[in-house]
């Protein structure tokens, strides 16, 4: 086993920034030692959004974005190292998720694509980098997502209590940690993504802070029921989704069938959609005693209150109260997955993704030994 300090890097579907964490990891523990959030430049956010919503893209644009993201990840990592007073040689490896620009787990040719050139990350940081975590699982017939349920299980499972872990990011995903049965987990549907898109469209704000705007509106039951009729919600697991399905275009299509709604009522209904689509899945799986919530949506008081109301008998709380920072959960998971890969251990859970077997995940980009001794500062772009 390759115990040591690992760095995890996550830039998720919300496109709110690059999260970087430092953690000491061994067989028994993941101890967070640092964190840093790096802004995602607006033009990069725009380019990612264009790509993952199916706008026409040239190969040159894909290549340039891949390179640009690689540089940004390296810069973010170097800032964290500087903040923590560490050298490249102090870090065993980086786990770098990359930016998902397309995720198509079903159909004749399933694939998933994360950008962010890991060659640049390894070269600019001087640290061995693990990336491309999802495609080996897909090569064995899995969804390639979600991958965090294995980490949730390792950190938060309880021998007798029925627990579930919920990440409310751009997309929301749920891990079922039920005693005595294999872990299951899947994407429930939109988390913050549609809420963010609607407030951006109407108010030019990146998100609806503390649900201030949604709280001014009323839930439209016709819109809610119409949205819940989307076939993804009723599909059995394994399943995963993304911006390819749940995007502003999808919402506009829904609204065309119900014209005249007030913008704030739409926002209130989107918050309700997130809460109801999650609660339905919790109940369908037989409910739980404790729902541990992480991701940016754990800061949305309206969604949290609605989850509590829709799940009587379930204690809805944040993972921070159980020793894992909800903001850093995903980046920590990729540090842990890098540790697994470097140690030659499998990272996926077939019971979650539907893959035909457990497998080592990712590709390793080894650092040059002499680079490990240098103080690198990435490259400011
Ligand atoms: N105070 C707040 N009030 C309401 N919403 C909030 C608040 N703070 C964060 N959020 C929501 O959380 C989002 C960011 O969540 P997070 O960082 O978990 O996303 P992500 O990592 O990109 O997602 P994913 O899990 O899909 O990869 C913001 O875009 C916003 O919608
Ligand atoms: C393809 C992809 O990037 N999926 C993300 C996304 O963001 C949340 C949800 O959709 C989840 O399936 C996944 O991320 C987490 C980290 C996962 O793999 O568990």
């Amino acid at each position: 086993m390759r115990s040591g300090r690992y760095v995890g890097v996550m830039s998720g579907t919300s496109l709110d920034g690059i999260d970087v964490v430092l953690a000491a990891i061994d067989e028994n523990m993941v101890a967070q030692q640092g964190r840093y959030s790096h802004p995602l430049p607006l033009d990069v956010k725009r380019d990612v959004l264009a790509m993952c919503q199916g706008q026409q893209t040239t190969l040159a644009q894909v290549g340039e974005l891949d390179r640009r993201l690689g540089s940004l990840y390296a810069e973010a990592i170097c800032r964290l190292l500087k903040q923590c007073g560490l050298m490249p040689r102090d870090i065993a490896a980086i786990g770098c998720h990359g930016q998902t620009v397309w995720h198509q787990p079903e159909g004749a040719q399933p694939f998933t694509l994360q950008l962010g050139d890991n060659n640049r990350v390894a070269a600019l940081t001087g640290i061995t980098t693990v990336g491309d975590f999802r495609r080996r699982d897909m090569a064995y017939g899995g969804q390639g997502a979600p991958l965090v349920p294995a980490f949730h299980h390792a950190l938060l499972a309880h021998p007798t209590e029925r627990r579930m872990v919920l990440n409310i990011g751009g997309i929301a995903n749920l891990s079922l940690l039920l005693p005595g049965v294999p872990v299951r987990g899947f994407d429930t549907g939109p988390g913050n993504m549609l809420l963010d898109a609607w407030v951006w469209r109407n108010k030019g704000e990146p998100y609806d802070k503390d649900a201030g705007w949604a709280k001014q509106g009323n839930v439209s039951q016709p819109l809610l029921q119409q949205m819940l009729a989307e076939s993804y919600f009723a599909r059995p697991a394994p399943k995963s989704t993304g911006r390819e399905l749940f995007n502003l275009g999808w919402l506009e299509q829904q609204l065309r069938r119900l014209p005249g709604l007030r913008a704030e009522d739409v926002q209130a209904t989107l918050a309700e959609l997130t809460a109801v689509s999650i609660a339905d899945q919790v109940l369908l799986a037989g409910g739980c005693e404790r729902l541990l919530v992480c991701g940016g949506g754990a800061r949305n008081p309206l969604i949290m209150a609605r989850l509590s109301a829709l799940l009587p008998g379930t204690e809805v709380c944040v993972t921070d109260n159980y020793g894992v920072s909800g903001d850093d959960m995903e980046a920590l998971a990729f540090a842990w997955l890098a540790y697994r890969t470097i140690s030659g251990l499998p990272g996926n859970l077939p019971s979650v993704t539907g893959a035909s077997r457990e497998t080592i995940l990712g590709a390793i980009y080894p650092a040059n030994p002499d680079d490990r001794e240098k103080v690198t500062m990435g490259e400011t772009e």
Side-chain angles (χ1 to χ4, degrees), residues 12-14 16 167 169-171 192 196 207-208 210 295-296 299 330:
T13 49
S14 295
D16 58 331
N167 165 52
I171 293 291
N192 303 302
D196 287 356
Y207 69 99
D208 182 13
D210 301 334
R299 296 185 189 279
E330 290 188 333

Side-chain angles (χ1 to χ4, degrees), residues 33-363:
Q33 297 182 335
R35 74 173 318 278
Y36 170 68
S37 283
H38 198 65
L40 202 60
L42 263 183
D43 57 328
V44 173
K45 181 171 172 173
R46 188 199 58 214
D47 290 352
V48 173
L49 269 176
M51 240 174 251
C52 63
Q53 291 181 158
Q55 284 177 28
Q56 214 167 26
T57 307
T58 65
L59 280 177
Q61 285 169 321
V62 175
E64 285 172 18
L65 185 59
D66 186 48
R67 179 188 163 104
R68 183 105 193 262
L69 284 165
S71 304
L72 283 167
Y73 295 149
E75 192 186 331
I77 293 158
C78 291
R79 291 205 184 198
L80 175 69
L81 292 195
K82 195 170 175 210
Q83 186 179 295
C84 298
L86 294 172
M87 294 276 287
R89 65 162 177 266
D90 299 321
I91 309 297
I94 295 163
C96 188
H97 172 267
Q99 182 67 54
T100 296
V101 289
W102 201 260
H103 184 65
Q104 178 178 310
E106 309 289 337
Q109 299 294 344
F111 78 97
T112 186
L113 184 60
Q114 285 73 44
L115 296 186
D117 183 1
N118 289 306
N119 294 287
R120 291 190 74 70
V121 178
L124 295 172
T125 61
I127 300 169
T128 294
T129 301
V130 187
D132 195 6
F133 285 93
R134 301 190 186 278
R135 295 196 299 169
R136 189 74 60 84
D137 180 80
M138 270 199 168
Y140 286 110
Q143 293 272 318
L147 296 176
V148 293
F151 183 65
H152 292 159
H153 178 254
L155 259 61
L156 294 165
H158 190 273
T160 55
E161 190 174 76
R162 289 176 67 86
R163 286 188 176 178
M164 297 187 190
V165 181
L166 170 68
N167 165 52
I168 314 178
I171 293 291
N173 52 290
L174 186 67
S175 301
L176 315 183
L177 311 179
L178 307 178
V181 293
V183 181
R184 281 177 295 147
F186 49 86
D187 292 348
T188 57
N192 303 302
M193 189 175 278
L194 297 173
L195 287 158
D196 287 356
W198 190 243
V199 77
W200 177 254
R201 154 66 58 91
N202 286 274
K203 293 176 156 262
E205 290 161 15
Y207 69 99
D208 182 13
K209 189 165 170 26
D210 301 334
W213 191 41
K215 282 181 178 171
Q216 291 167 26
N218 298 311
V219 172
S220 157
Q221 280 302 327
L223 177 61
L224 178 65
Q225 295 312 321
Q226 184 187 289
M227 291 194 292
L228 284 168
E230 164 62 52
S231 62
Y232 180 81
F233 295 116
R235 257 185 35 210
K239 61 177 179 175
S240 57
T241 188
R243 275 188 193 278
E244 304 74 25
L245 173 61
F246 293 110
N247 54 38
L248 194 56
W250 181 86
L251 176 60
E252 283 168 343
Q253 208 181 328
Q254 302 287 332
L255 295 177
R256 273 198 289 278
R257 290 157 63 191
L258 284 169
L261 290 172
R262 294 190 316 157
E264 57 271 38
D265 292 346
V266 173
Q267 189 73 354
T269 311
L270 290 173
E272 187 70 3
L273 174 69
T274 295
V276 169
S277 56
I278 292 165
D280 281 353
Q281 293 299 326
V282 171
L283 295 172
L284 192 67
C288 61
E289 291 161 80
R290 203 173 299 279
L291 181 66
L292 299 157
V293 189
C294 56
R299 296 185 189 279
N300 184 316
L302 180 57
I303 293 178
M304 291 299 276
R306 290 300 296 144
L307 283 172
S308 290
L310 291 162
L311 296 169
T314 295
E315 172 82 22
V316 179
C317 46
V318 290
T319 57
D320 304 63
N321 297 346
Y322 289 77
V324 195
S325 154
D327 289 335
D328 299 327
M329 179 72 83
E330 290 188 333
L332 285 167
F334 284 93
W336 181 78
L337 285 169
Y339 159 78
R340 304 271 309 172
T341 300
I342 294 285
S343 305
L345 298 169
N348 68 331
L349 289 177
S351 59
V352 171
T353 64
S356 58
R357 57 164 294 168
E358 283 192 340
T359 177
I360 300 176
L361 298 179

